PDB file of all heavy atoms in Angstrom:
ATOM      1  N   ASP A 100     -98.514-100.080 -97.766  1.00  0.00           N
ATOM      2  CA  ASP A 100     -98.350-100.841 -96.529  1.00  0.00           C
ATOM      3  C   ASP A 100     -99.673-101.485 -96.101  1.00  0.00           C
ATOM      4  O   ASP A 100    -100.314-101.052 -95.148  1.00  0.00           O
ATOM      5  CB  ASP A 100     -97.843 -99.923 -95.412  1.00  0.00           C
ATOM      6  CG  ASP A 100     -96.511 -99.290 -95.743  1.00  0.00           C
ATOM      7  OD1 ASP A 100     -95.674 -99.991 -96.335  1.00  0.00           O
ATOM      8  OD2 ASP A 100     -96.312 -98.099 -95.415  1.00  0.00           O
ATOM      9  N   VAL A 101    -100.101-102.527 -96.807  1.00  0.00           N
ATOM     10  CA  VAL A 101    -101.396-103.153 -96.533  1.00  0.00           C
ATOM     11  C   VAL A 101    -101.462-103.694 -95.108  1.00  0.00           C
ATOM     12  O   VAL A 101    -102.427-103.446 -94.377  1.00  0.00           O
ATOM     13  CB  VAL A 101    -101.695-104.278 -97.547  1.00  0.00           C
ATOM     14  CG1 VAL A 101    -102.929-105.065 -97.125  1.00  0.00           C
ATOM     15  CG2 VAL A 101    -101.898-103.697 -98.931  1.00  0.00           C
ATOM     16  N   LYS A 102    -100.445-104.432 -94.688  1.00  0.00           N
ATOM     17  CA  LYS A 102    -100.492-105.039 -93.354  1.00  0.00           C
ATOM     18  C   LYS A 102    -100.549-103.975 -92.258  1.00  0.00           C
ATOM     19  O   LYS A 102    -101.335-104.083 -91.314  1.00  0.00           O
ATOM     20  CB  LYS A 102     -99.284-105.950 -93.143  1.00  0.00           C
ATOM     21  CG  LYS A 102     -99.321-106.689 -91.807  1.00  0.00           C
ATOM     22  CD  LYS A 102     -98.123-107.587 -91.624  1.00  0.00           C
ATOM     23  CE  LYS A 102     -98.236-108.393 -90.336  1.00  0.00           C
ATOM     24  NZ  LYS A 102     -98.422-107.545 -89.146  1.00  0.00           N
ATOM     25  N   GLU A 103     -99.714-102.965 -92.370  1.00  0.00           N
ATOM     26  CA  GLU A 103     -99.690-101.910 -91.357  1.00  0.00           C
ATOM     27  C   GLU A 103    -101.041-101.200 -91.271  1.00  0.00           C
ATOM     28  O   GLU A 103    -101.563-100.949 -90.176  1.00  0.00           O
ATOM     29  CB  GLU A 103     -98.589-100.906 -91.684  1.00  0.00           C
ATOM     30  CG  GLU A 103     -98.495 -99.754 -90.703  1.00  0.00           C
ATOM     31  CD  GLU A 103     -97.496 -98.699 -91.128  1.00  0.00           C
ATOM     32  OE1 GLU A 103     -96.531 -99.047 -91.846  1.00  0.00           O
ATOM     33  OE2 GLU A 103     -97.678 -97.528 -90.756  1.00  0.00           O
ATOM     34  N   ILE A 104    -101.612-100.874 -92.421  1.00  0.00           N
ATOM     35  CA  ILE A 104    -102.908-100.178 -92.431  1.00  0.00           C
ATOM     36  C   ILE A 104    -104.001-101.105 -91.917  1.00  0.00           C
ATOM     37  O   ILE A 104    -104.883-100.694 -91.156  1.00  0.00           O
ATOM     38  CB  ILE A 104    -103.240 -99.666 -93.847  1.00  0.00           C
ATOM     39  CG1 ILE A 104    -102.212 -98.617 -94.268  1.00  0.00           C
ATOM     40  CG2 ILE A 104    -104.645 -99.076 -93.895  1.00  0.00           C
ATOM     41  CD1 ILE A 104    -102.321 -98.180 -95.710  1.00  0.00           C
ATOM     42  N   ALA A 105    -103.951-102.373 -92.325  1.00  0.00           N
ATOM     43  CA  ALA A 105    -104.967-103.332 -91.874  1.00  0.00           C
ATOM     44  C   ALA A 105    -104.927-103.501 -90.365  1.00  0.00           C
ATOM     45  O   ALA A 105    -105.980-103.568 -89.706  1.00  0.00           O
ATOM     46  CB  ALA A 105    -104.770-104.677 -92.567  1.00  0.00           C
ATOM     47  N   ASP A 106    -103.735-103.569 -89.769  1.00  0.00           N
ATOM     48  CA  ASP A 106    -103.610-103.667 -88.312  1.00  0.00           C
ATOM     49  C   ASP A 106    -104.242-102.447 -87.639  1.00  0.00           C
ATOM     50  O   ASP A 106    -104.953-102.570 -86.631  1.00  0.00           O
ATOM     51  CB  ASP A 106    -102.139-103.772 -87.903  1.00  0.00           C
ATOM     52  CG  ASP A 106    -101.526-105.126 -88.219  1.00  0.00           C
ATOM     53  OD1 ASP A 106    -102.288-106.072 -88.482  1.00  0.00           O
ATOM     54  OD2 ASP A 106    -100.277-105.224 -88.200  1.00  0.00           O
ATOM     55  N   HIS A 107    -103.974-101.282 -88.199  1.00  0.00           N
ATOM     56  CA  HIS A 107    -104.525-100.044 -87.639  1.00  0.00           C
ATOM     57  C   HIS A 107    -106.044-100.029 -87.740  1.00  0.00           C
ATOM     58  O   HIS A 107    -106.742 -99.718 -86.760  1.00  0.00           O
ATOM     59  CB  HIS A 107    -103.946 -98.841 -88.384  1.00  0.00           C
ATOM     60  CG  HIS A 107    -104.483 -97.528 -87.916  1.00  0.00           C
ATOM     61  ND1 HIS A 107    -103.875 -96.782 -86.925  1.00  0.00           N
ATOM     62  CD2 HIS A 107    -105.604 -96.832 -88.275  1.00  0.00           C
ATOM     63  CE1 HIS A 107    -104.584 -95.689 -86.704  1.00  0.00           C
ATOM     64  NE2 HIS A 107    -105.624 -95.696 -87.514  1.00  0.00           N
ATOM     65  N   VAL A 108    -106.576-100.392 -88.899  1.00  0.00           N
ATOM     66  CA  VAL A 108    -108.031-100.364 -89.108  1.00  0.00           C
ATOM     67  C   VAL A 108    -108.715-101.422 -88.251  1.00  0.00           C
ATOM     68  O   VAL A 108    -109.786-101.177 -87.681  1.00  0.00           O
ATOM     69  CB  VAL A 108    -108.368-100.556 -90.608  1.00  0.00           C
ATOM     70  CG1 VAL A 108    -109.875-100.704 -90.805  1.00  0.00           C
ATOM     71  CG2 VAL A 108    -107.841 -99.376 -91.427  1.00  0.00           C
ATOM     72  N   GLU A 109    -108.113-102.594 -88.129  1.00  0.00           N
ATOM     73  CA  GLU A 109    -108.697-103.641 -87.291  1.00  0.00           C
ATOM     74  C   GLU A 109    -108.825-103.173 -85.846  1.00  0.00           C
ATOM     75  O   GLU A 109    -109.862-103.377 -85.193  1.00  0.00           O
ATOM     76  CB  GLU A 109    -107.846-104.906 -87.345  1.00  0.00           C
ATOM     77  CG  GLU A 109    -108.410-106.051 -86.512  1.00  0.00           C
ATOM     78  CD  GLU A 109    -107.549-107.296 -86.562  1.00  0.00           C
ATOM     79  OE1 GLU A 109    -106.322-107.189 -86.359  1.00  0.00           O
ATOM     80  OE2 GLU A 109    -108.100-108.382 -86.804  1.00  0.00           O
ATOM     81  N   THR A 110    -107.780-102.539 -85.330  1.00  0.00           N
ATOM     82  CA  THR A 110    -107.824-102.010 -83.970  1.00  0.00           C
ATOM     83  C   THR A 110    -108.893-100.935 -83.834  1.00  0.00           C
ATOM     84  O   THR A 110    -109.626-100.892 -82.840  1.00  0.00           O
ATOM     85  CB  THR A 110    -106.446-101.433 -83.584  1.00  0.00           C
ATOM     86  OG1 THR A 110    -105.468-102.478 -83.650  1.00  0.00           O
ATOM     87  CG2 THR A 110    -106.468-100.859 -82.177  1.00  0.00           C
ATOM     88  N   PHE A 111    -109.009-100.075 -84.831  1.00  0.00           N
ATOM     89  CA  PHE A 111    -110.047 -99.031 -84.816  1.00  0.00           C
ATOM     90  C   PHE A 111    -111.441 -99.651 -84.787  1.00  0.00           C
ATOM     91  O   PHE A 111    -112.330 -99.208 -84.056  1.00  0.00           O
ATOM     92  CB  PHE A 111    -109.889 -98.130 -86.043  1.00  0.00           C
ATOM     93  CG  PHE A 111    -110.931 -97.061 -86.159  1.00  0.00           C
ATOM     94  CD1 PHE A 111    -110.844 -95.903 -85.391  1.00  0.00           C
ATOM     95  CD2 PHE A 111    -112.008 -97.209 -87.026  1.00  0.00           C
ATOM     96  CE1 PHE A 111    -111.811 -94.911 -85.495  1.00  0.00           C
ATOM     97  CE2 PHE A 111    -112.973 -96.228 -87.132  1.00  0.00           C
ATOM     98  CZ  PHE A 111    -112.879 -95.070 -86.365  1.00  0.00           C
ATOM     99  N   LEU A 112    -111.628-100.714 -85.568  1.00  0.00           N
ATOM    100  CA  LEU A 112    -112.945-101.360 -85.651  1.00  0.00           C
ATOM    101  C   LEU A 112    -113.305-102.145 -84.393  1.00  0.00           C
ATOM    102  O   LEU A 112    -114.478-102.480 -84.203  1.00  0.00           O
ATOM    103  CB  LEU A 112    -113.006-102.288 -86.867  1.00  0.00           C
ATOM    104  CG  LEU A 112    -113.003-101.614 -88.239  1.00  0.00           C
ATOM    105  CD1 LEU A 112    -112.932-102.667 -89.342  1.00  0.00           C
ATOM    106  CD2 LEU A 112    -114.239-100.743 -88.426  1.00  0.00           C
ATOM    107  N   ASP A 113    -112.326-102.448 -83.546  1.00  0.00           N
ATOM    108  CA  ASP A 113    -112.607-103.189 -82.311  1.00  0.00           C
ATOM    109  C   ASP A 113    -113.704-102.532 -81.484  1.00  0.00           C
ATOM    110  O   ASP A 113    -114.479-103.211 -80.805  1.00  0.00           O
ATOM    111  CB  ASP A 113    -111.337-103.291 -81.450  1.00  0.00           C
ATOM    112  CG  ASP A 113    -110.423-104.425 -81.888  1.00  0.00           C
ATOM    113  OD1 ASP A 113    -110.902-105.354 -82.559  1.00  0.00           O
ATOM    114  OD2 ASP A 113    -109.219-104.372 -81.544  1.00  0.00           O
ATOM    115  N   SER A 114    -113.766-101.211 -81.510  1.00  0.00           N
ATOM    116  CA  SER A 114    -114.741-100.492 -80.678  1.00  0.00           C
ATOM    117  C   SER A 114    -115.948-100.002 -81.465  1.00  0.00           C
ATOM    118  O   SER A 114    -116.743 -99.215 -80.964  1.00  0.00           O
ATOM    119  CB  SER A 114    -114.054 -99.289 -80.001  1.00  0.00           C
ATOM    120  OG  SER A 114    -113.518 -98.407 -80.973  1.00  0.00           O
ATOM    121  N   ILE A 115    -116.108-100.484 -82.695  1.00  0.00           N
ATOM    122  CA  ILE A 115    -117.234-100.082 -83.549  1.00  0.00           C
ATOM    123  C   ILE A 115    -118.274-101.195 -83.580  1.00  0.00           C
ATOM    124  O   ILE A 115    -117.954-102.335 -83.893  1.00  0.00           O
ATOM    125  CB  ILE A 115    -116.759 -99.769 -84.986  1.00  0.00           C
ATOM    126  CG1 ILE A 115    -115.713 -98.646 -84.983  1.00  0.00           C
ATOM    127  CG2 ILE A 115    -117.940 -99.404 -85.876  1.00  0.00           C
ATOM    128  CD1 ILE A 115    -116.210 -97.311 -84.507  1.00  0.00           C
ATOM    129  N   ASN A 116    -119.515-100.862 -83.267  1.00  0.00           N
ATOM    130  CA  ASN A 116    -120.604-101.848 -83.324  1.00  0.00           C
ATOM    131  C   ASN A 116    -121.601-101.441 -84.391  1.00  0.00           C
ATOM    132  O   ASN A 116    -122.702-100.972 -84.103  1.00  0.00           O
ATOM    133  CB  ASN A 116    -121.293-101.963 -81.956  1.00  0.00           C
ATOM    134  CG  ASN A 116    -120.335-102.413 -80.873  1.00  0.00           C
ATOM    135  OD1 ASN A 116    -120.016-101.660 -79.980  1.00  0.00           O
ATOM    136  ND2 ASN A 116    -119.872-103.638 -80.974  1.00  0.00           N
ATOM    137  N   LYS A 117    -121.208-101.596 -85.641  1.00  0.00           N
ATOM    138  CA  LYS A 117    -122.053-101.242 -86.780  1.00  0.00           C
ATOM    139  C   LYS A 117    -121.933-102.314 -87.854  1.00  0.00           C
ATOM    140  O   LYS A 117    -120.883-102.944 -87.998  1.00  0.00           O
ATOM    141  CB  LYS A 117    -121.629 -99.892 -87.375  1.00  0.00           C
ATOM    142  CG  LYS A 117    -121.756 -98.705 -86.443  1.00  0.00           C
ATOM    143  CD  LYS A 117    -121.262 -97.427 -87.121  1.00  0.00           C
ATOM    144  CE  LYS A 117    -121.381 -96.237 -86.180  1.00  0.00           C
ATOM    145  NZ  LYS A 117    -120.895 -94.982 -86.818  1.00  0.00           N
ATOM    146  N   ASP A 118    -122.968-102.492 -88.611  1.00  0.00           N
ATOM    147  CA  ASP A 118    -122.947-103.444 -89.726  1.00  0.00           C
ATOM    148  C   ASP A 118    -122.388-102.726 -90.947  1.00  0.00           C
ATOM    149  O   ASP A 118    -123.112-102.320 -91.855  1.00  0.00           O
ATOM    150  CB  ASP A 118    -124.356-103.966 -89.999  1.00  0.00           C
ATOM    151  CG  ASP A 118    -124.363-105.079 -91.042  1.00  0.00           C
ATOM    152  OD1 ASP A 118    -123.278-105.623 -91.331  1.00  0.00           O
ATOM    153  OD2 ASP A 118    -125.452-105.388 -91.560  1.00  0.00           O
ATOM    154  N   ILE A 119    -121.083-102.547 -90.947  1.00  0.00           N
ATOM    155  CA  ILE A 119    -120.396-101.842 -92.021  1.00  0.00           C
ATOM    156  C   ILE A 119    -119.300-102.741 -92.579  1.00  0.00           C
ATOM    157  O   ILE A 119    -118.632-103.455 -91.840  1.00  0.00           O
ATOM    158  CB  ILE A 119    -119.808-100.499 -91.521  1.00  0.00           C
ATOM    159  CG1 ILE A 119    -119.161 -99.728 -92.674  1.00  0.00           C
ATOM    160  CG2 ILE A 119    -118.825-100.713 -90.369  1.00  0.00           C
ATOM    161  CD1 ILE A 119    -118.757 -98.314 -92.304  1.00  0.00           C
ATOM    162  N   LYS A 120    -119.129-102.693 -93.896  1.00  0.00           N
ATOM    163  CA  LYS A 120    -118.124-103.514 -94.561  1.00  0.00           C
ATOM    164  C   LYS A 120    -116.982-102.611 -95.011  1.00  0.00           C
ATOM    165  O   LYS A 120    -117.171-101.678 -95.791  1.00  0.00           O
ATOM    166  CB  LYS A 120    -118.736-104.240 -95.761  1.00  0.00           C
ATOM    167  CG  LYS A 120    -117.874-105.360 -96.326  1.00  0.00           C
ATOM    168  CD  LYS A 120    -118.658-106.163 -97.350  1.00  0.00           C
ATOM    169  CE  LYS A 120    -117.856-107.370 -97.828  1.00  0.00           C
ATOM    170  NZ  LYS A 120    -118.639-108.181 -98.809  1.00  0.00           N
ATOM    171  N   VAL A 121    -115.778-102.896 -94.494  1.00  0.00           N
ATOM    172  CA  VAL A 121    -114.601-102.053 -94.703  1.00  0.00           C
ATOM    173  C   VAL A 121    -113.522-102.873 -95.404  1.00  0.00           C
ATOM    174  O   VAL A 121    -113.324-104.046 -95.092  1.00  0.00           O
ATOM    175  CB  VAL A 121    -114.072-101.519 -93.354  1.00  0.00           C
ATOM    176  CG1 VAL A 121    -112.869-100.605 -93.575  1.00  0.00           C
ATOM    177  CG2 VAL A 121    -115.180-100.793 -92.591  1.00  0.00           C
ATOM    178  N   ALA A 122    -112.806-102.227 -96.326  1.00  0.00           N
ATOM    179  CA  ALA A 122    -111.753-102.932 -97.058  1.00  0.00           C
ATOM    180  C   ALA A 122    -110.423-102.220 -96.930  1.00  0.00           C
ATOM    181  O   ALA A 122    -110.359-100.991 -96.912  1.00  0.00           O
ATOM    182  CB  ALA A 122    -112.131-103.046 -98.531  1.00  0.00           C
ATOM    183  N   VAL A 123    -109.349-103.016 -96.851  1.00  0.00           N
ATOM    184  CA  VAL A 123    -107.983-102.522 -96.979  1.00  0.00           C
ATOM    185  C   VAL A 123    -107.336-103.360 -98.075  1.00  0.00           C
ATOM    186  O   VAL A 123    -107.116-104.559 -97.899  1.00  0.00           O
ATOM    187  CB  VAL A 123    -107.194-102.646 -95.661  1.00  0.00           C
ATOM    188  CG1 VAL A 123    -105.754-102.160 -95.861  1.00  0.00           C
ATOM    189  CG2 VAL A 123    -107.871-101.859 -94.541  1.00  0.00           C
ATOM    190  N   MET A 124    -107.054-102.719 -99.210  1.00  0.00           N
ATOM    191  CA  MET A 124    -106.615-103.456-100.391  1.00  0.00           C
ATOM    192  C   MET A 124    -105.276-102.937-100.889  1.00  0.00           C
ATOM    193  O   MET A 124    -104.832-101.847-100.518  1.00  0.00           O
ATOM    194  CB  MET A 124    -107.673-103.352-101.493  1.00  0.00           C
ATOM    195  CG  MET A 124    -109.094-103.679-101.041  1.00  0.00           C
ATOM    196  SD  MET A 124    -109.278-105.352-100.385  1.00  0.00           S
ATOM    197  CE  MET A 124    -109.313-106.309-101.897  1.00  0.00           C
ATOM    198  N   GLY A 125    -104.646-103.715-101.769  1.00  0.00           N
ATOM    199  CA  GLY A 125    -103.303-103.377-102.210  1.00  0.00           C
ATOM    200  C   GLY A 125    -103.198-102.577-103.485  1.00  0.00           C
ATOM    201  O   GLY A 125    -102.226-101.870-103.690  1.00  0.00           O
ATOM    202  N   CYS A 126    -104.205-102.665-104.343  1.00  0.00           N
ATOM    203  CA  CYS A 126    -104.123-101.968-105.631  1.00  0.00           C
ATOM    204  C   CYS A 126    -105.520-101.683-106.158  1.00  0.00           C
ATOM    205  O   CYS A 126    -106.509-102.253-105.679  1.00  0.00           O
ATOM    206  CB  CYS A 126    -103.336-102.804-106.635  1.00  0.00           C
ATOM    207  SG  CYS A 126    -104.235-104.282-107.200  1.00  0.00           S
ATOM    208  N   PRO A 127    -105.666-100.818-107.147  1.00  0.00           N
ATOM    209  CA  PRO A 127    -106.995-100.490-107.677  1.00  0.00           C
ATOM    210  C   PRO A 127    -107.733-101.682-108.286  1.00  0.00           C
ATOM    211  O   PRO A 127    -108.961-101.712-108.317  1.00  0.00           O
ATOM    212  CB  PRO A 127    -106.689 -99.433-108.749  1.00  0.00           C
ATOM    213  CG  PRO A 127    -105.373 -98.860-108.372  1.00  0.00           C
ATOM    214  CD  PRO A 127    -104.613 -99.990-107.750  1.00  0.00           C
ATOM    215  N   VAL A 128    -106.983-102.674-108.769  1.00  0.00           N
ATOM    216  CA  VAL A 128    -107.632-103.860-109.349  1.00  0.00           C
ATOM    217  C   VAL A 128    -108.539-104.515-108.308  1.00  0.00           C
ATOM    218  O   VAL A 128    -109.699-104.839-108.569  1.00  0.00           O
ATOM    219  CB  VAL A 128    -106.577-104.874-109.852  1.00  0.00           C
ATOM    220  CG1 VAL A 128    -107.255-106.175-110.288  1.00  0.00           C
ATOM    221  CG2 VAL A 128    -105.773-104.281-110.989  1.00  0.00           C
ATOM    222  N   ASN A 129    -107.982-104.707-107.104  1.00  0.00           N
ATOM    223  CA  ASN A 129    -108.769-105.321-106.033  1.00  0.00           C
ATOM    224  C   ASN A 129    -109.688-104.318-105.360  1.00  0.00           C
ATOM    225  O   ASN A 129    -110.837-104.624-105.034  1.00  0.00           O
ATOM    226  CB  ASN A 129    -107.831-105.933-104.980  1.00  0.00           C
ATOM    227  CG  ASN A 129    -107.132-107.177-105.493  1.00  0.00           C
ATOM    228  OD1 ASN A 129    -107.602-107.807-106.423  1.00  0.00           O
ATOM    229  ND2 ASN A 129    -106.003-107.506-104.900  1.00  0.00           N
ATOM    230  N   GLY A 130    -109.191-103.103-105.132  1.00  0.00           N
ATOM    231  CA  GLY A 130    -109.975-102.115-104.404  1.00  0.00           C
ATOM    232  C   GLY A 130    -111.266-101.745-105.109  1.00  0.00           C
ATOM    233  O   GLY A 130    -112.362-101.900-104.554  1.00  0.00           O
ATOM    234  N   LEU A 131    -111.163-101.276-106.333  1.00  0.00           N
ATOM    235  CA  LEU A 131    -112.356-100.840-107.075  1.00  0.00           C
ATOM    236  C   LEU A 131    -113.056-101.994-107.772  1.00  0.00           C
ATOM    237  O   LEU A 131    -114.167-101.827-108.279  1.00  0.00           O
ATOM    238  CB  LEU A 131    -111.962 -99.771-108.100  1.00  0.00           C
ATOM    239  CG  LEU A 131    -111.379 -98.483-107.495  1.00  0.00           C
ATOM    240  CD1 LEU A 131    -110.967 -97.515-108.598  1.00  0.00           C
ATOM    241  CD2 LEU A 131    -112.366 -97.827-106.560  1.00  0.00           C
ATOM    242  N   GLY A 132    -112.397-103.157-107.788  1.00  0.00           N
ATOM    243  CA  GLY A 132    -112.997-104.319-108.437  1.00  0.00           C
ATOM    244  C   GLY A 132    -113.558-105.306-107.445  1.00  0.00           C
ATOM    245  O   GLY A 132    -114.764-105.337-107.169  1.00  0.00           O
ATOM    246  N   GLU A 133    -112.673-106.099-106.836  1.00  0.00           N
ATOM    247  CA  GLU A 133    -113.119-107.174-105.967  1.00  0.00           C
ATOM    248  C   GLU A 133    -113.795-106.675-104.693  1.00  0.00           C
ATOM    249  O   GLU A 133    -114.600-107.388-104.093  1.00  0.00           O
ATOM    250  CB  GLU A 133    -111.921-108.063-105.607  1.00  0.00           C
ATOM    251  CG  GLU A 133    -111.344-108.799-106.812  1.00  0.00           C
ATOM    252  CD  GLU A 133    -110.087-109.580-106.480  1.00  0.00           C
ATOM    253  OE1 GLU A 133    -109.800-109.733-105.282  1.00  0.00           O
ATOM    254  OE2 GLU A 133    -109.393-110.017-107.407  1.00  0.00           O
ATOM    255  N   ALA A 134    -113.470-105.470-104.239  1.00  0.00           N
ATOM    256  CA  ALA A 134    -114.058-104.944-103.002  1.00  0.00           C
ATOM    257  C   ALA A 134    -115.108-103.861-103.292  1.00  0.00           C
ATOM    258  O   ALA A 134    -115.401-103.033-102.425  1.00  0.00           O
ATOM    259  CB  ALA A 134    -112.970-104.380-102.110  1.00  0.00           C
TER     260      ALA A 134
END
């Protein structure tokens, strides 16, 4: 459920003020590769 998880993570990040790069990906090809 990429969209559902992304919505949840985006809301969580709304209150975070850090220079951190976070990914929500659909499969290991993109997750461990492109991200």
Side-chain angles (χ1 to χ4, degrees):
D100 300 321
V101 171
K102 184 180 184 304
E103 179 186 333
I104 296 172
D106 287 345
H107 178 92
V108 173
E109 181 181 49
T110 300
F111 178 79
L112 291 175
D113 278 339
S114 59
I115 301 296
N116 299 112
K117 298 178 180 180
D118 187 15
I119 183 171
K120 194 171 185 179
V121 182
V123 178
M124 310 300 282
C126 71
V128 173
N129 289 338
L131 298 178
E133 294 175 12

